[in-house]
Amino acid sequence: MKIWQHLPKIGVILTACAILFVSLFIVNQYTKDDTVKIGVLLPLTGPAESTGTKLKYAIETAEEIINGRYSSANLELGPSAGLPNMGGKKVKFIFADHRANPETARTEAIRLIKDEKVAALIGAYHSSATKTASQVAEEYKVPFLAGSSSSASLTTRGYSYFFRIAPDDNLETEFFFEYIKYLNEALNAGIKTLGIVYIDNEYGTHASEMIDKWLDERYADEGFEKVVEVRYSEDLNNMDEGIEKIKKANPDVIFQASYIEDVTQFVKRYKEENIVPKAVLNYCGGFHDPYFIDALGADGNYFSGSSASLPSALNNETANFINNLYREKSGEDIDGPALEEFASALIMADAINTSSSLEGDKITNVLRTKEFLAPYFISNTIRFNEAGQNIRTISFMVQIQNGRYEAVWPLEMQYRKPQILSK
């Protein structure tokens, strides 16, 4: 028989082999990258590097829990290794450094979506960076879950793909006013006049605006009055002028919206100039960083702020488990912003797993409709409203006493009684 008579059979065999080879190649490539990618925007260098580093540890802690097996943790994705509804795929968090720069955050968000092919974004700590990055996410229809960014404007933009866990500075400001009312009633503190000290960016500006809002709507009628406002630049060039204004006005309480480096410098100057208001209340920001205590020692005592995390207050098995894993990585206890970023990582992975999809609309639908278990918060659950804002209360007031963050309010969370600052 001539060889040409076998050519059709040979062609079929070669075609089958080629198909098998291509299939094996695709499967091999798929297996090598069998992960779900989530982009993370953080300030990993620059003025907030220390904060960004601890937030990275928190997200790495979440990644370890998601991809490992921790059946005793009482967490949604704890018992399974990876995402069970997606064939056990592991989650990989891709970190990007925005250096506290909004335009860098925008550029990095585009890179994560277009080049890294992430299914979702989380971050970015600085509200100004979160604002620009989430604009990109909205354009590309990629879900974005902010852990600790607090600017109230972030959830008033009518976005479909944006969500936030932390209370915004609107809710936080009301919380502060209610706390000083408690101090007046329980400790006869006599707090009436207040000042606001804030960094000149998205985060600080909106904190200031919320104070004016709440004074206009309620608290001016209850006898509270703003007597000084200090808006300082990120390079602190006008700090001396601000300190002089505060000293002259002598407010009973200071509401402070600052990051770790600048709040530390302000407290040092308060001490040098003998500026001693009865309370200093810090918005979610630098005050919560353990560096605050390390840098200031006893001078940091009795400063206060809202927090979502405190081992003495959240004394349950799940919170302790998370804190122990985090401490192995960071060498310190987890704080409020770090726990909020941890939650953003865990909840986004949960939403992807529940949706069984990498499609933005399907993931977003889960974020909008599911109540997420969060036993590491006082709320025990997280749920988002139509604007994307978490509606479960996760914060309480903490005060530094004897070099430790202690829960002081509300009463059901009180671990230590609050102390009034005095000269």
Side-chain angles (χ1 to χ4, degrees):
M1 184 178 292
K2 305 292 185 182
I3 192 168
W4 60 265
Q5 293 177 299
H6 294 282
L7 287 179
K9 292 181 180 179
I10 294 171
V12 170
I13 293 170
L14 290 174
T15 301
C17 289
I19 292 172
L20 178 61
F21 175 79
V22 171
S23 299
L24 289 173
F25 176 79
I26 292 172
V27 169
N28 184 53
Q29 290 299 107
Y30 176 78
T31 302
K32 284 196 297 185
D33 192 28
D34 192 15
T35 58
V36 172
K37 294 181 180 180
I38 299 175
V40 186
L41 293 146
L42 293 175
L44 298 174
T45 60
E49 179 179 351
S50 63
T51 298
T53 299
K54 71 173 185 177
L55 301 181
K56 185 172 184 286
Y57 286 136
I59 292 165
E60 288 173 343
T61 300
E63 184 177 58
E64 181 176 342
I65 292 171
I66 295 164
N67 292 334
R69 293 186 184 274
Y70 296 96
S71 57
S72 63
N74 192 28
L75 294 169
E76 189 79 24
L77 296 175
S80 59
L83 304 181
N85 293 350
M86 302 191 73
K89 283 186 180 181
K90 301 298 175 67
V91 173
K92 184 177 182 180
F93 290 95
I94 310 296
F95 292 93
D97 178 16
H98 63 63
R99 303 193 296 275
N101 185 300
E103 286 309 308
T104 302
R106 182 194 301 276
T107 301
E108 286 298 289
I110 294 172
R111 182 183 66 81
L112 288 169
I113 293 170
K114 296 183 68 175
D115 298 343
E116 296 289 351
K117 310 297 183 186
V118 298
L121 292 172
I122 61 175
Y125 182 66
H126 292 84
S127 292
S128 54
T130 299
K131 182 178 182 179
T132 55
S134 59
Q135 288 170 349
V136 172
E138 191 74 11
E139 178 184 348
Y140 285 91
K141 298 183 178 181
V142 171
F144 191 117
L145 178 53
S148 56
S149 302
S150 63
S151 171
S153 68
L154 292 173
T155 46
T156 61
R157 298 173 295 173
Y159 280 10
S160 299
Y161 298 87
F162 181 78
F163 302 84
R164 174 181 32 212
I165 291 173
D168 63 27
D169 42 35
N170 177 48
L171 298 172
E172 212 165 8
T173 301
E174 181 187 21
F175 185 74
F176 284 3
F177 274 111
E178 290 300 309
Y179 175 65
I180 58 179
K181 284 175 60 178
Y182 161 75
L183 293 179
N184 285 343
E185 294 164 4
L187 302 179
N188 196 29
I191 296 173
K192 290 297 180 183
T193 61
L194 64 97
I196 169 69
V197 179
Y198 63 98
I199 190 167
D200 185 10
N201 66 7
E202 186 91 10
Y203 155 60
T205 299
H206 281 93
S208 174
E209 290 174 354
M210 291 307 104
I211 290 175
D212 291 336
K213 168 185 175 290
W214 282 108
L215 283 171
D216 289 342
E217 293 182 2
R218 183 190 307 177
Y219 293 105
D221 291 340
E222 297 185 22
F224 295 104
E225 177 190 6
K226 185 175 76 172
V227 295
V228 63
E229 176 176 315
V230 172
R231 178 174 182 164
Y232 65 90
S233 59
E234 295 189 21
D235 57 15
L236 297 178
N237 280 343
N238 58 339
M239 186 179 184
D240 289 343
E241 177 186 344
I243 290 293
E244 188 61 32
K245 288 174 66 176
I246 298 166
K247 188 172 183 178
K248 183 177 180 180
N250 192 29
D252 294 328
V253 60
I254 293 175
F255 288 17
Q256 185 113 16
S258 303
Y259 299 118
I260 182 59
E261 294 293 340
D262 33 311
V263 71
T264 302
Q265 293 304 313
F266 266 97
V267 173
K268 288 179 179 178
R269 292 298 305 277
Y270 294 159
K271 294 296 180 179
E272 290 172 3
E273 299 295 331
N274 199 28
I275 296 172
V276 189
K278 296 174 181 179
V280 177
L281 309 182
N282 294 267
Y283 288 89
C284 182
F287 160 80
H288 304 85
D289 194 313
Y291 174 78
F292 185 86
I293 294 175
D294 294 340
L296 295 168
D299 287 346
N301 281 333
Y302 310 125
F303 285 81
S304 305
S306 59
S307 179
S309 172
L310 192 68
S312 62
L314 294 172
N315 190 20
N316 65 54
E317 183 178 354
T318 303
N320 289 336
F321 167 78
I322 294 166
N323 190 55
N324 289 336
L325 280 183
Y326 175 84
R327 192 163 49 213
E328 288 176 6
K329 300 177 186 297
S330 67
E332 58 193 30
D333 290 330
I334 198 166
D335 63 17
L339 189 63
E340 289 161 349
E341 298 299 343
F342 166 89
S344 72
L346 205 65
I347 288 173
M348 185 60 82
D350 189 352
I352 292 171
N353 180 65
T354 301
S355 72
S356 302
S357 173
L358 299 181
E359 294 181 24
D361 287 337
K362 291 182 178 179
I363 299 167
T364 298
N365 184 58
V366 173
L367 289 168
R368 291 204 176 281
T369 57
K370 181 174 179 175
E371 184 167 70
F372 296 90
L373 292 178
Y376 41 87
F377 288 136
I378 60 173
S379 61
N380 289 310
T381 60
I382 295 294
R383 191 173 187 89
F384 302 103
N385 64 14
E386 284 302 308
Q389 176 62 48
N390 169 35
I391 58 175
R392 301 289 190 249
T393 301
I394 64 173
S395 293
F396 45 90
M397 187 66 70
V398 302
Q399 184 179 58
I400 299 174
Q401 297 183 9
N402 298 317
R404 289 177 55 85
Y405 293 92
E406 304 287 6
V408 296
W409 190 75
L411 293 178
E412 62 268 24
M413 296 296 297
Q414 192 173 80
Y415 194 77
R416 294 274 188 259
K417 289 185 177 180
Q419 302 294 314
I420 300 298
L421 290 169
S422 60
K423 294 185 179 182

